[in-house]
Amino acid sequence: MKWFYLLLTLAGGLAVGMQAAINGGLGKKVGSIEATFISFCIGTAALFFMVVFWGKGNILAVSEVPKHQLTGGILGAFYLATIVVAVPRIGVSMSFVAVITGQLLISSLIDHFGLFGAPKIPLDMKKGIALCLMLSAIYLFHHK
């Protein structure tokens, strides 16, 4: 079953990579913020139908969650707007080297300190070196 989830997340990564190029092009035509809005509207409509037909949770329980758990939409909008602005200027690959590095940096800190209820997974020397290599990748991708 782990292979299924690994392949599922790989497919998710492929989708995000395609989304960046598609939304970057949309942003050039309609504007960056407008493209982000359009993308979120279409995504919201798709999720609405998924909830209606396949949802098994309790959407009304949203009033009972810690307020910080409601910031995901704002963070998603910031991420998407950033991609829409960056991709036409620095390309998909450079944008994603930076995005993935940022994701690994923050997720390593979240794991290390057990933030947001995550289990504590210490940041060791090997992971630190890997993060430094990712930062080096940003330089190598961007350096002419």
Side-chain angles (χ1 to χ4, degrees):
M1 194 54 125
K2 285 185 180 181
W3 278 103
F4 171 76
Y5 291 112
L6 181 62
L7 292 173
L8 182 65
T9 54
L10 178 64
L14 293 171
V16 169
M18 292 185 321
Q19 178 196 33
I22 291 166
N23 284 339
L26 180 63
K28 285 177 18 181
K29 298 278 187 196
V30 301
S32 299
I33 295 172
E34 293 80 2
T36 305
F37 177 74
I38 291 166
S39 182
F40 264 78
C41 285
I42 293 169
T44 299
L47 286 170
F48 172 78
F49 288 108
M50 290 172 73
V51 166
V52 168
F53 293 108
W54 298 293
K56 303 227 186 297
N58 178 8
I59 202 164
L60 299 177
V62 69
S63 63
E64 301 168 13
V65 302
K67 298 307 174 216
H68 76 273
Q69 291 179 351
L70 300 176
T71 62
I74 295 168
L75 295 171
F78 174 74
Y79 160 74
L80 186 56
T82 300
I83 288 298
V84 169
V85 169
V87 165
R89 291 163 179 82
I90 63 174
V92 176
S93 61
M94 181 64 231
S95 297
F96 271 92
V97 168
V99 164
I100 292 166
T101 302
Q103 288 174 331
L104 288 172
L105 286 169
I106 195 62
S107 61
S108 296
L109 292 174
I110 290 169
D111 281 349
H112 183 76
F113 293 109
L115 302 175
F116 310 113
K120 285 189 177 185
I121 302 171
L123 180 63
D124 58 16
M125 182 67 77
K126 187 169 63 171
K127 291 177 187 174
I129 291 169
L131 291 171
C132 289
L133 289 171
M134 289 298 295
L135 290 168
S136 299
I138 291 175
Y139 173 78
L140 292 173
F141 257 82
H142 190 64
H143 185 49
K144 302 230 179 220

